[in-house]
Amino acid sequence: MLFDTHVHLNVSHFDEDREEVLARAEQAGVKYMVVVGFDHETIPKAIEMAEQHNHIYAAVGWHPVDAIDMTAKELAWLEELSNHPKVVALGEMGLDYHWDKSPKDIQKEVFRKQIRLAKKVKLPIIIHNREATEDIVEILQEEDAKEVGGIMHCYNDSVEYVDSCLEMNFYISLGGPVTFKNANLPKEVAKYVPADRLLIETDCPFLAPHPKRGKRNEPAYVQLIAEQIAALRDISYDELSQQTTKNAKRLFQIQD
Ligand code: NI
């Protein structure tokens, strides 16, 4: 039984065969997933999927790459959606210094506003971080994000920052890169994170794990990620699956 904590089944890559993808996920033992919406198109689709399927939950937030497009209207929209019974987190939000569509100061402001909203509505947050770990940790500390905690999504930095994240009540989520041959950082992190703070995710359609690397990713492949992490931690696949599923249900407050 697996919990894929970060999927984008709400994007057009899955328009042709969404139901088949869901069926393959079920066959692979994926019992729960969180569909993450991040803009005007993907947020309503995430909500729609969560309403249609018992085992699907939604997260809503504004992506840092598009921070420049977020006005008071979008923030109010996120607040309204946070009341939806299937919305279990806000995000993804954060900082992305790889792309320059939105200037850094605007990204930071939009990030802070969403953290404040999460504290107001009492939901955990999902962090997108690209080449910005130091600034992210600093903002999370300044905004006292510890109050809600959340997920460092597709964590891709050294173990050095893991302790700061744990102290702020964050979980560390690992995806496809942990299976890549020369990816030493996520492998070290996979061994380092305490059992009760580890999560797994595909971030599909992106970042497919080995041996599917380069292809479209899908939730069924979270199995490959779980196998790799179990091997690195020298525990059974069942133990790893159970632990990460339990962690995700605790964080998202899913009861069944
Ligand atoms: Ni994502």
Side-chain angles (χ1 to χ4, degrees):
M1 176 166 112
L2 299 160
F3 196 137
D4 189 345
T5 61
H6 197 112
V7 307
H8 298 293
L9 291 179
N10 47 346
V11 298
S12 60
H13 303 63
F14 295 105
D15 283 351
E16 300 300 314
D17 62 349
R18 199 166 272 113
E19 290 307 313
E20 285 99 313
V21 169
L22 287 175
R24 284 198 291 273
E26 201 183 326
Q27 267 175 9
V30 181
K31 188 152 186 240
Y32 305 92
M33 51 186 101
V34 172
V35 178
V36 180
F38 50 84
D39 62 16
H40 284 295
E41 285 75 41
T42 58
I43 289 172
K45 185 71 187 166
I47 300 280
E48 183 195 311
M49 290 191 73
E51 285 174 346
Q52 286 169 349
H53 302 272
N54 266 334
H55 68 299
I56 293 181
Y57 294 83
V60 298
W62 210 259
H63 202 283
V65 169
D66 302 318
I68 199 161
D69 302 324
M70 195 188 85
T71 66
K73 201 177 118 204
E74 279 77 25
L75 194 66
W77 185 41
L78 293 179
E79 180 165 359
E80 190 191 315
L81 291 172
S82 69
N83 289 314
H84 190 287
K86 297 295 290 283
V87 170
V88 291
L90 291 191
E92 50 195 291
M93 63 174 81
L95 301 173
D96 191 318
Y97 292 168
H98 186 75
W99 305 104
D100 55 9
K101 177 184 165 186
S102 301
K104 285 183 184 180
D105 57 331
I106 292 177
Q107 289 194 35
K108 287 179 181 175
E109 201 44 46
V110 163
F111 183 27
R112 286 182 192 274
K113 281 180 181 162
Q114 292 187 87
I115 298 170
R116 289 170 199 162
L117 174 60
K119 288 167 69 180
K120 185 177 172 192
V121 301
K122 298 186 167 50
L123 283 177
I125 59 184
I126 298 174
I127 303 294
H128 172 101
N129 168 20
R130 197 152 178 205
E131 298 160 23
T133 312
E134 258 178 70
D135 286 358
I136 286 199
V137 169
E138 189 182 301
I139 289 175
L140 289 173
Q141 282 166 346
E142 282 174 10
E143 295 293 334
D144 203 16
K146 190 178 183 174
E147 214 179 288
V148 287
I151 301 178
M152 304 305 290
H153 140 63
C154 209
Y155 187 85
N156 196 28
D157 211 320
S158 63
V159 288
E160 184 194 335
Y161 291 101
V162 170
D163 286 340
S164 316
C165 299
L166 297 174
E167 275 161 30
M168 292 188 289
N169 292 327
F170 275 77
Y171 289 67
I172 306 294
S173 186
L174 294 173
V178 76
T179 67
F180 299 168
K181 236 185 190 143
N182 297 318
N184 295 322
L185 287 186
K187 287 189 169 68
E188 277 173 39
V189 171
K191 288 188 261 189
Y192 181 79
V193 177
D196 63 350
R197 293 297 190 89
L198 186 64
L199 299 174
I200 51 175
E201 64 169 87
T202 54
D203 196 22
C204 64
F206 316 108
L207 292 171
H210 175 80
K212 308 284 184 183
R213 192 173 182 178
K215 302 212 171 76
R216 184 188 70 171
N217 199 0
E218 62 175 72
Y221 302 163
V222 79
Q223 204 172 27
L224 299 164
I225 294 161
E227 279 167 6
Q228 172 71 81
I229 298 174
L232 287 164
R233 291 174 76 90
D234 199 19
I235 58 171
S236 71
Y237 175 78
D238 282 348
E239 189 181 342
L240 190 276
S241 320
Q242 278 172 26
Q243 183 71 63
T244 49
T245 298
K246 198 168 128 189
N247 293 344
K249 288 177 74 177
R250 184 191 318 117
L251 173 67
F252 295 127
Q253 296 195 16
I254 294 170
Q255 311 293 350
D256 63 89

